[in-house]
Amino acid sequence: MASGHTPRKLSPGRRGKPVSSPSQQVVRLGFGFAVSQALRVVIELGIPDLLASGGHSVEDLAAAAKVDAEPLYRVMRLLAPEGVFTEIRPRHFGLTEVGAALRSDRPGPRDFIRMINSEAYLAFEQLLHSVRTGKPAFDKVFGSPRFDWLSAHPEQAALFQRAMVALSQGGNEAVADAYDFGRYTRVVDVGGGHGQLLSAILARNPHLSGVLFDLPSGVAAARQGAGGDLPRTDFVAGDFFEGVSVGDIYVIKRVIHDWDDERAELILRRCREAMPTHGRVLVAETLVPPGDEPDQIKTLDVVMLAVTGGLERTEAQYARLFAGAGLKLERVIGTRAPISILEASPA
């Protein structure tokens, strides 16, 4: 060529756009925080709700949200290639199926996105501290452990509870459907929060009575019906590190992953101490798969490292936890959701 320049290779199906180099791919990964915070901004401004009826100009959206149009345009332009919005014509946006998941009138992850991009996001800036020490960065940034901090900040605690409800969508029903509770009489939901899982179990098993065991804030939310109807249920506020209520089957869903091995083992040991010899402990968690394929649970595992000091685990790691608590892993039961039930009996 007369110019002497070497033409850049084009990727198939993306005419005129160069193939990303390894450096460019790394830079894109490094800008992940921008997309994350942009999602939070459009949720807080209610943009997905404003687009529910159809496309609008960014000027109309900005007027309704009481913000400046030009910065809003730049944020929405960032999210459009990520599939959240589509720019149907210059400076006019429509809502995609992905973006519709952020509407306030639909069940979805909006509260989880808001929660993870607030104090948890600030803690993550100190991830290196967690890698160096094995301790949660959250404690360093905020001066207290995550759950102690939430206890002192009721508004953020309420958002956390709503975020957990959003994250659990479909999982509670999947767990309740996957296990046969027929031979048991009293189920204790340890750290049950709003009571969604317990509500699903009791609805499917009218012979069961239940115990919703959690911190006072979780019990209060469950009493108000935030997680559904809870007939035949005792509401017990307590500390599962100190002891749990008596029952013959214990369910612990997405609780063990919040804690390091020592404290996770202690929770399981408290269940072992309270249960009869024929009792069972059901731990419902997402297992970390082997290999280097992408999986959301691997991302969540590093979030746990920085925020709570907990971790996501493999089946072998859970088996060791059970053994340390005087329990034996009997089987792993898959569900239709990305969560498994690990059933343990007294050793």
Side-chain angles (χ1 to χ4, degrees):
M1 299 178 66
S3 66
H5 294 301
T6 302
R8 293 180 293 178
K9 293 181 179 179
L10 302 182
S11 58
R14 300 183 67 196
R15 181 177 296 276
K17 294 185 179 180
V19 174
S20 294
S21 69
S23 292
Q24 289 168 331
Q25 293 180 43
V26 170
V27 169
R28 175 174 168 78
L29 290 174
F31 275 124
F33 73 92
V35 173
S36 182
Q37 285 294 324
L39 282 173
R40 180 191 179 192
V41 166
V42 297
I43 290 170
E44 297 289 359
L45 295 178
I47 302 301
D49 288 347
L50 293 172
L51 289 173
S53 60
H56 288 281
S57 71
V58 73
E59 285 74 20
D60 288 345
L61 294 170
K66 297 181 173 57
V67 296
D68 189 277
E70 192 60 29
L72 178 61
Y73 173 67
R74 292 160 68 180
V75 168
M76 295 183 70
R77 181 174 61 186
L78 169 65
L79 292 175
E82 303 295 335
V84 179
F85 305 115
T86 179
E87 193 167 5
I88 50 182
R89 62 180 185 273
R91 300 181 69 84
H92 286 71
F93 288 91
L95 194 62
T96 66
E97 185 176 348
V98 172
L102 301 176
R103 286 171 48 178
S104 63
D105 61 346
R106 293 188 179 182
R110 64 191 308 274
D111 282 326
F112 177 77
I113 298 298
R114 293 176 63 216
M115 182 273 293
I116 207 68
N117 279 287
S118 51
E119 65 271 6
Y121 177 89
L122 296 176
F124 219 72
E125 193 272 335
Q126 292 291 325
L127 177 61
L128 182 58
H129 169 78
S130 294
V131 174
R132 282 176 170 157
T133 66
K135 304 297 183 182
F138 190 98
D139 300 24
K140 181 175 189 280
V141 174
F142 289 91
S144 64
R146 168 70 160 157
F147 294 109
D148 291 351
W149 187 89
L150 286 174
S151 295
H153 296 81
E155 185 176 341
Q156 287 85 355
L159 175 60
F160 175 81
Q161 290 288 351
R162 295 196 303 273
M164 293 304 98
V165 169
L167 202 61
S168 295
Q169 285 175 7
N172 296 305
E173 293 76 12
V175 169
D177 286 337
Y179 191 81
D180 182 3
F181 291 87
R183 69 189 184 98
Y184 302 100
T185 60
R186 188 166 177 82
V187 56
V188 182
D189 190 352
V190 179
H194 280 74
Q196 282 184 309
L197 175 57
L198 184 58
S199 179
I201 291 171
L202 294 177
R204 289 159 175 77
N205 297 276
H207 69 286
L208 281 177
S209 64
V211 177
L212 192 289
F213 187 95
D214 205 337
L215 295 172
S217 59
V219 170
R223 281 185 181 277
Q224 293 169 7
D229 191 27
L230 288 168
R232 311 181 304 281
T233 295
D234 293 330
F235 298 89
V236 180
D239 182 345
F240 48 43
F241 294 118
E242 299 295 328
V244 298
S245 299
V246 174
D248 56 358
I249 187 162
Y250 293 79
V251 294
I252 316 174
K253 178 175 174 284
R254 298 201 190 280
V255 170
I256 298 299
H257 76 155
D258 285 330
W259 306 100
D260 60 25
D261 284 349
E262 180 181 358
R263 287 178 289 181
E265 186 179 299
L266 180 56
I267 297 169
L268 294 170
R269 189 179 305 122
R270 295 302 184 223
C271 295
R272 172 65 186 91
E273 292 167 353
M275 66 194 286
T277 55
H278 69 277
R280 291 291 187 272
V281 174
L282 307 180
V283 171
E285 296 279 2
T286 301
L287 299 176
V288 177
D292 58 1
E293 291 299 313
D295 196 293
Q296 183 173 285
I297 200 64
K298 297 174 183 177
T299 303
L300 186 56
D301 176 52
V302 180
V303 173
M304 304 307 290
L305 168 68
V307 177
T308 71
L311 66 153
E312 306 298 338
R313 295 175 172 90
T314 64
E315 179 180 336
Q317 287 175 302
Y318 277 110
R320 288 195 293 272
L321 274 185
F322 286 134
L327 297 162
K328 179 177 67 173
L329 177 61
E330 294 286 354
R331 56 179 174 153
V332 177
I333 304 167
T335 75
R336 64 175 182 270
I339 190 169
S340 298
I341 301 171
L342 297 102
E343 180 185 32
S345 64

